Amino acid sequence: MNNSNTIFKISALSAAVSLAVMYSFQAQAADIEFDEVVAPFDAVNITTSNNLTVDGGVIQPLSFKTLFSTGQEDNGETYGMMKDYKGNPAKSGTGDNYICSGNAAGVKGSGTDFSAILQKGGKNYLITQFECQTGGMYLAELGADMSPVPNTLEWIDNTSEWGGWVHCAGSVTPWNTYLGGEEYEPNAKKLEGQSYPTTDDYYNDKVRSYWLGDISKSSPYQNGWITEIDIVAGKPTYEKHYAMGRFSHELGYVMPDKRTVYLTDDGVNDTLFMFVAKKAGDLTEGKLYAAKWEQTSSYGGGSAQLKWISLGKARSRHIKRAIDRDIEFSDMFDEDVAGCKTISANGETECLKVKKNKEILASRLESRRYAALMGATHEFRKMEGFTFDEQRNRAFIAISEVGRGMLDNTGDPDKGGTNYDDLDGDTIAETGNHIRVNKPDYCGAVYSMDINTESSTVSDHKGSMIHSDYVVTNMNSILASGTADGEVTPEECALNNDIMAQPDNIAMAPGTNALIIGEDGKHENNMVWSFNLDTHELTRIATVPLGAETTSPYFHKVGNDYYMTLVAQHPDPSGVNSDGDSITGVVGPMNLD
C-alpha cells in the first residue's frame, strides 16, 4: 500500500487538519524543535522563535535581524526604487519616485519579495527582487555577522532584457546563482493592437513607468520569464531564460542534477511545468514538459499520479529573437476556426489552433495555452512554493487555495457559483476536468511528490524517455487545513490562528524533519510554520505585522551556520508606528549539522 495516499483527520481543531500517514524515510533526519510563537502578537514587528534545539541538544538562541526596509538609502541608491529603461528613477502614477513597497501611492504591486544570500569570491551578497509591475532587483554585500556592508547597495541593471515584471518567489541554484520568477504574465491576445494607455491598467503601469509611455518599445512577450542572476568579480549579471516557458512564474526550483527544474504557475486555471536542460548548469536550452493530473483520491486537497506531456525542445536565443521581431499572438494562433480546441487556460473560454510551424514558439511564448491544447492539466489554483528534501528523496509543493477549477466541474461558492471548468456555461468542461476534489479547501494544501529514482525510466505522453533522475510521479495532499465537515470560507480559514492557512512559500530546513511553510492569507497576522514530517505537528515559528504577507523563507549556509531569510511584504501602514514599508531580514544563526 502507498501510505502517502492514506489520509486521516485531526478533528480537535475548529477547521480540521488532514494529514497523510507518512512514508518510511530513506535517511535519518535531524529532529529540530522551535519555540512556539504566540499569535496574534504584534501589529508592527516581525516576531520569531527565541530558541531552537537539534536532536534534543544544546538550546540555540535565535533572533531576527532586519537587513533592509523599502525606502532605505545607501550608496546613492534607494532600496525598492524601480528604474526606467534609461536607468533613471521610474515614476509612479502620482509622479513620485516608484518605490515598490506594497503601499506606495500610485504604485501597483506587492513590495519586496524573494531575497537570497549568495557567496562569491569570499563575500556574502544579498539579492532582493521586488513584486511590482515595474519590477527590479537590488544587490548588497553582507558581513560575516549578516549586517549590510555600508556603501554596497546596488541596482541590478535589467535593461538588456526589457526590464523586470512582478518578481515573485525564487531559489538558489546548485551552481550558486539566483533564480527568480516573473508572475502574472500580460495577456498578449487581449493587448494585441492596442495603443497606450491600453485597456489593461495593470500593463499600463509598466509602459508608463519603465518605457516612459512609449508602447512601441513594449511587448507583453518581454515579461513572464524565469530570471537568473550571477555575481562575477563582484558585479551582478542579469539574464532571462526564454527556453523555460512564459507563464505566471511563482518560482523555478533546480534539482540536484542541475538539469531538472520544476516551475510553478500561480493564478487561476494554471499548470505545473518541468524543464529538463540539455546541459547541467545551463538553462538556455532544453525540453519543457507539462503535467497531467490522473486523480486517485478526491479527499482533502486530492491525490493523483502525474503524467508528463512534452512541449518540445527550444533554445533561449531563438525565442528571444522572435520577441525582438515583435511577434504577436495572432502570428501563432488561429481562433474559432475548423479544428480548434476549446480550453480555458487563461481564465476565459477560447477555441484555439496553433498555426503550422509555430509549435515551438507557441510552446514557449504561450506555454499554458499550448500545454492545455496538448492535453495538460490547467485547473490548478494558486500554485505557490516548491522544495526538495534530499533526506527522503521527496518534493513538496504548496497550493494556497483549493478551489475554482480544482472542483469537480461545479461552481465555486466563494465566486458566486462560477464554474471554472465551464466558463462559457455550455456544460462542457473546457479544462478536461482532471482535478475533481471533494469540496473546496480555501485554507489551501501542501502536497508530497515521489521522485523517480531510476535513470530515464519515465516516459512522456509520446512514449519517449524523459532523461532525468528527478521526475516526480505523483502528487498527494498531506496537509489540508480546510477540510472540515461543513463549508469553510476563506475568511473562516483565518479565524483560528492555531492552524496553517493559505500556504505560500515553503522550504526544507536542510537535513532535518522540518518543512517550513509561510502564509499569504487573511490572518490577523500571517505566520510561518514548522511542519514536523515525523510527528505531523505544526509549530508557529514566526509572525509578521498586520496586513503583511510572509515571503522568502529559505535556508542559506554561511560559514558553519544557517540563516533563514524572511520578508514581511506590504504591512498595513495604519498600524501604530508602521510606515508600511516591506522588511527584509534573516533568522539565525542555526547549527543544523
Side-chain angles (χ1 to χ4, degrees):
M1 183 178 72
N2 185 349
N3 286 337
S4 62
N5 285 331
T6 304
I7 301 177
F8 66 94
K9 185 180 294 183
I10 298 176
S11 59
L13 300 179
S14 61
V17 179
S18 58
L19 300 168
V21 176
M22 302 301 285
Y23 34 81
S24 298
F25 298 150
Q26 298 179 359
Q28 184 64 41
D31 180 48
I32 67 172
E33 296 183 7
F34 292 89
D35 284 355
E36 184 92 33
V37 172
V38 177
F41 190 86
D42 200 319
V44 295
N45 297 309
I46 293 177
T47 305
T48 63
S49 298
N50 292 323
N51 297 294
L52 167 72
T53 59
V54 179
D55 287 332
V58 177
I59 295 175
Q60 302 178 32
L62 298 177
S63 62
F64 176 80
K65 174 180 283 191
T66 297
L67 302 180
F68 285 97
S69 297
T70 48
Q72 184 174 333
E73 296 181 355
D74 178 73
N75 196 35
E77 301 278 13
T78 302
Y79 189 71
M81 184 174 72
M82 301 298 97
K83 299 191 177 183
D84 62 30
Y85 79 100
K86 294 182 177 181
N88 299 318
K91 299 300 180 181
S92 72
T94 60
D96 300 314
N97 284 346
Y98 194 117
I99 305 294
C100 183
S101 70
N103 285 304
V107 173
K108 294 182 176 67
S110 297
T112 311
D113 205 290
F114 188 69
S115 295
I117 300 168
L118 298 185
Q119 296 174 305
K120 295 280 187 173
K123 294 182 178 181
N124 305 313
Y125 293 94
L126 176 76
I127 297 176
T128 302
Q129 62 186 29
F130 293 83
E131 190 179 6
C132 286
Q133 279 77 317
T134 297
M137 302 181 183
Y138 275 88
L139 173 75
E141 186 180 338
L142 302 177
D145 65 348
M146 293 293 96
S147 296
V149 175
N151 299 314
T152 63
L153 185 64
E154 179 180 351
W155 167 260
I156 297 177
D157 182 23
N158 57 20
T159 55
S160 64
E161 303 277 8
W162 302 300
W165 169 271
V166 193
H167 297 294
C168 198
S171 63
V172 176
T173 69
W175 54 93
N176 198 29
T177 60
Y178 178 104
L179 216 61
E182 293 186 321
E183 195 175 39
Y184 306 141
E185 83 284 8
N187 191 331
K189 186 181 82 169
K190 289 187 174 181
L191 288 166
E192 185 169 330
Q194 291 196 33
S195 59
Y196 174 77
T198 72
T199 57
D200 185 349
D201 287 340
Y202 202 68
Y203 188 63
N204 288 340
D205 199 51
K206 168 73 180 287
V207 180
R208 183 198 69 248
S209 57
Y210 183 78
W211 292 116
L212 304 179
D214 187 353
I215 200 167
S216 68
K217 297 181 181 296
S218 178
S219 163
Y221 290 122
Q222 295 168 350
N223 303 116
W225 304 100
I226 287 291
T227 59
E228 185 174 10
I229 309 298
D230 197 3
I231 301 172
V232 180
K235 304 300 291 183
T237 65
Y238 183 89
E239 183 177 16
K240 291 185 181 181
H241 290 305
Y242 305 98
M244 300 181 77
R246 175 180 171 271
F247 44 92
S248 182
H249 285 284
E250 175 76 14
L251 85 162
Y253 190 97
V254 184
M255 303 299 275
D257 64 351
K258 302 182 181 181
R259 295 178 57 245
T260 307
V261 189
Y262 286 94
L263 303 161
T264 61
D265 185 16
D266 182 6
V268 179
N269 286 16
D270 292 330
T271 299
L272 174 64
F273 294 90
M274 175 181 67
F275 179 78
V276 180
K278 182 178 179 180
K279 298 178 182 178
D282 181 355
L283 303 179
T284 62
E285 181 178 359
K287 290 185 177 181
L288 187 63
Y289 298 86
K292 182 178 181 181
W293 171 285
E294 296 186 347
Q295 187 157 300
T296 57
S297 172
S298 63
Y299 190 76
S303 297
Q305 296 296 310
L306 294 182
K307 303 300 182 184
W308 291 99
I309 293 176
S310 175
L311 307 185
K313 59 184 178 181
R315 295 178 179 176
S316 275
R317 68 174 183 267
H318 292 162
I319 307 303
K320 187 178 183 182
R321 187 180 304 146
I323 303 172
D324 274 327
R325 294 173 178 172
D326 295 324
I327 190 170
E328 295 186 321
F329 182 88
S330 61
D331 294 326
M332 296 175 285
F333 295 93
D334 288 318
E335 189 170 10
D336 299 325
V337 297
C340 69
K341 182 176 180 180
T342 302
I343 60 172
S344 58
N346 267 46
E348 61 178 321
T349 299
E350 49 192 357
C351 195
L352 301 177
K353 182 179 180 180
V354 182
K355 291 185 175 182
K356 186 177 180 180
N357 298 324
K358 299 297 183 180
E359 290 83 2
I360 292 302
L361 287 176
S363 75
R364 294 324 196 260
L365 293 167
E366 294 287 351
S367 301
R368 191 187 311 107
R369 283 177 163 123
Y370 184 80
L373 292 173
M374 295 291 289
T377 298
H378 54 291
E379 300 166 54
F380 292 104
R381 164 67 177 149
K382 289 207 61 69
M383 188 184 300
E384 303 281 359
F386 188 101
T387 192
F388 176 61
D389 179 7
E390 294 194 53
Q391 297 293 111
R392 300 160 179 83
N393 200 42
R394 290 240 172 167
F396 298 93
I397 193 169
I399 289 182
S400 189
E401 178 183 301
V402 179
R404 305 196 191 186
M406 297 184 73
L407 305 182
D408 188 5
N409 195 21
T410 188
D412 190 320
D414 188 53
K415 289 297 172 184
T418 300
N419 183 349
Y420 284 82
D421 287 318
D422 174 25
L423 287 169
D424 66 357
D426 64 1
T427 72
I428 297 174
E430 300 111 19
T431 60
N433 197 29
H434 301 163
I435 307 177
R436 305 175 302 280
V437 297
N438 203 29
K439 61 179 64 178
D441 180 359
Y442 300 117
C443 301
V446 176
Y447 300 76
S448 70
M449 310 171 85
D450 286 310
I451 302 290
N452 165 55
T453 56
E454 298 181 22
S455 179
S456 302
T457 59
V458 180
S459 59
D460 63 23
H461 75 293
K462 295 180 178 179
S464 299
M465 292 298 160
I466 301 174
H467 297 288
S468 166
D469 294 337
Y470 289 91
V471 179
V472 298
T473 56
N474 54 32
M475 189 168 166
N476 300 297
S477 169
I478 63 169
L479 177 59
S481 300
T483 54
D485 292 335
E487 296 294 337
V488 180
T489 68
E491 290 73 24
E492 288 171 329
C493 289
L495 292 178
N496 189 336
N497 286 308
D498 290 326
I499 67 168
M500 180 277 300
Q502 284 87 45
D504 194 336
N505 300 146
I506 58 176
M508 280 300 305
T512 77
N513 57 10
L515 175 66
I516 306 302
I517 305 169
E519 294 180 333
D520 174 17
K522 297 179 180 179
H523 289 99
E524 187 168 359
N525 299 83
N526 278 310
M527 309 170 199
V528 179
W529 300 86
S530 174
F531 178 53
N532 188 309
L533 292 172
D534 295 335
T535 66
H536 317 149
E537 294 178 354
L538 281 165
T539 303
R540 188 187 306 103
I541 66 172
T543 67
V544 294
L546 293 175
E549 173 185 347
T550 68
T551 69
S552 199
Y554 204 92
F555 286 83
H556 308 271
K557 192 167 188 180
V558 181
N560 295 322
D561 294 315
Y562 283 92
Y563 291 86
M564 185 181 79
T565 45
L566 179 61
V567 171
Q569 189 186 58
H570 56 70
D572 187 347
S574 65
V576 178
N577 298 323
S578 174
D579 54 14
D581 284 320
S582 295
I583 303 165
T584 303
V586 292
V587 181
M590 309 177 204
N591 188 334
L592 303 179
D593 297 329

